[in-house]
Amino acid sequence: RTIRTTTIDLINEPDTEKYNYTIVSSSLSVVVRGKTAVVEQIYSTNLRVVADLTDYKEPGQYKVPVKVYVDGYADVGILHESEYTIVVSIAEKTGDTGQETG
């Protein structure tokens, strides 16, 4: 069964002081496999997509591999899990914080 989720998290951003990290991909469709009776109980709220940015240290736009978790269902898996990616943009923070001074 294919389920689309918008629950996408970033972990291990190397330099949050210097860069803004933006998830460009607003959703991800994944194929959940397992016993039909169990898979039919899974909704997008049970899926969690996690992108590890440890190796992304320069500004740019990247296809980042993700890990997909099915919360609350140990007996199911994700088909072709190693093939899923999202797009993340890394940009240098500007000096303008939007706050007025003085």
Side-chain angles (χ1 to χ4, degrees):
R1 177 171 167 220
T2 301
I3 303 173
R4 191 167 106 175
T5 184
T6 57
T7 306
I8 302 172
D9 296 318
L10 302 177
I11 61 170
N12 299 323
E13 298 98 317
D15 194 350
T16 56
E17 299 277 323
K18 187 175 179 182
Y19 299 116
N20 286 318
Y21 299 85
T22 306
I23 301 169
V24 177
S25 305
S26 60
S27 66
L28 184 68
S29 293
V30 298
V31 179
V32 180
R33 64 180 179 170
K35 292 185 178 182
T36 303
V38 176
V39 170
E40 287 176 351
Q41 297 175 30
I42 298 172
Y43 295 94
S44 64
T45 54
N46 298 108
L47 299 178
R48 186 169 37 99
V49 176
V50 178
D52 186 341
L53 298 182
T54 300
D55 296 328
Y56 299 88
K57 299 178 179 167
E58 297 294 326
Q61 197 167 75
Y62 301 95
K63 273 186 160 181
V64 179
V66 297
K67 174 83 174 145
V68 181
Y69 297 93
V70 184
D71 294 331
Y73 293 88
D75 296 340
V76 299
I78 303 298
L79 189 64
H80 304 298
E81 182 174 14
S82 63
E83 297 176 10
Y84 292 107
T85 61
I86 62 167
V87 177
V88 175
S89 177
I90 302 173
E92 286 191 48
K93 289 185 176 182
T94 61
D96 180 18
T97 61
Q99 295 177 345
E100 290 185 28
T101 57

